[in-house]
């Protein structure tokens, strides 16, 4: 892995990343805070976030109709993936998973992970400065990815945005 910076004729600076196969990727910060990630993505894996909306709505309807109080969505998201093991042997899905797991699906309209063969692996909430150590990317975390002709436009948020009033 080799990370370098170079000045271009345009005002933006690029961070270059060379992966273990010698493929070079460039990261160029844009005025709007996004980052253009360009290079070869011929052999890459992609990820999409789970959408729990249908499953959670059905769960709340079922529990509410019986007079119960539904668990919080974050607890539901964990429970819907729960598997049961006995003596380190898989027995089956947990009760919430068995009943509502089939309603969880990948939202293929949102890309939350891109992993070109040889790297760099990037996913939502990755801090770009921590990953690449380049001051040009300081304070930027990944929100999501937008495909463009030459690679991806990485939409970002500030690492301390959650502290704003």
């Amino acid at each position: 892995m080799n990370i370098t910076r170079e000045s271009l004729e345009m005002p933006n600076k690029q961070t270059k990343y060379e992966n273990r196969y010698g493929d070079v990727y460039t990261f160029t910060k844009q005025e709007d805070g996004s980052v253009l990630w360009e290079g070869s993505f011929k052999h890459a894996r992609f990820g999409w976030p789970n959408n729990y909306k249908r499953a959670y709505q059905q769960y709340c309807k079922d529990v509410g109709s019986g007079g119960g109080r539904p668990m919080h969505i974050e607890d539901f998201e964990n429970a819907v993936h729960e598997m049961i093991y006995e003596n380190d042997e898989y027995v089956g899905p947990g009760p919430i998973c068995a009943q509502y797991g089939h309603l969880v699906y990948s939202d293929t309209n949102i890309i939350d992970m891109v992993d070109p063969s040889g790297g760099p692996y990037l996913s939502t909430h990755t801090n770009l400065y921590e990953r690449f150590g380049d001051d040009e990317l300081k304070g930027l975390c990944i929100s999501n990815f937008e495909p463009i002709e030459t690679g991806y436009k990485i939409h970002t948020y500030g690492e301390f945005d959650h502290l704003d009033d």
Side-chain angles (χ1 to χ4, degrees), residues 73-86:
I73 181 70
E74 290 177 3
D75 295 326
F76 176 82
E77 288 175 7
N78 289 323
V80 81
H81 294 290
E82 184 179 47
M83 299 293 151
I84 299 172
Y85 291 86
E86 290 178 6

Side-chain angles (χ1 to χ4, degrees), residues 14-161:
Q14 286 187 333
T15 299
K16 287 194 173 198
Y17 175 93
E18 182 176 340
N19 71 13
R20 65 180 173 260
Y21 298 127
D23 298 323
V24 176
Y25 295 90
T26 59
F27 297 84
T28 310
K29 183 178 176 184
Q30 304 299 293
E31 288 183 22
D32 66 359
S34 65
V35 176
L36 295 184
W37 179 17
E38 299 174 294
S40 172
F41 294 88
K42 184 176 179 182
H43 301 289
R45 294 181 314 130
F46 310 93
W48 301 274
N50 283 334
N51 186 310
Y52 298 93
K53 186 176 181 178
R54 286 188 303 183
Y56 188 65
Q57 286 175 335
Q58 186 62 51
Y59 161 77
C60 288
K61 181 179 171 184
D62 293 347
V63 170
S65 67
R69 184 172 177 189
M71 68 178 83
H72 188 273
I73 181 70
E74 290 177 3
D75 295 326
F76 176 82
E77 288 175 7
N78 289 323
V80 81
H81 294 290
E82 184 179 47
M83 299 293 151
I84 299 172
Y85 291 86
E86 290 178 6
N87 299 322
D88 293 329
E89 298 275 331
Y90 174 75
V91 175
I96 299 294
C97 179
Q99 190 166 357
Y100 302 102
H102 69 283
L103 297 173
V104 176
Y105 64 94
S106 294
D107 186 346
T108 58
N109 293 316
I110 301 170
I111 300 171
D112 70 351
M113 182 276 293
V114 179
D115 181 21
S117 184
Y121 172 93
L122 295 177
S123 63
T124 56
H125 311 298
T126 297
N127 183 313
L128 292 171
Y129 174 74
E130 290 176 3
R131 179 68 171 88
F132 298 109
D134 189 327
D135 286 342
E136 191 73 15
L137 304 174
K138 193 166 191 137
L140 298 178
C141 297
I142 297 173
S143 174
N144 63 23
F145 303 86
E146 176 185 340
I148 59 173
E149 189 173 319
T150 57
Y152 290 88
K153 181 176 185 178
I154 300 174
H155 295 276
T156 65
Y157 62 91
E159 71 178 308
F160 298 112
D161 284 358

Side-chain angles (χ1 to χ4, degrees), residues 2-19:
N2 187 11
I3 301 170
T4 59
R5 281 186 62 189
E6 67 179 36
S7 295
L8 301 175
E9 293 176 10
M10 49 197 247
N12 296 348
K13 298 195 186 268
Q14 286 187 333
T15 299
K16 287 194 173 198
Y17 175 93
E18 182 176 340
N19 71 13

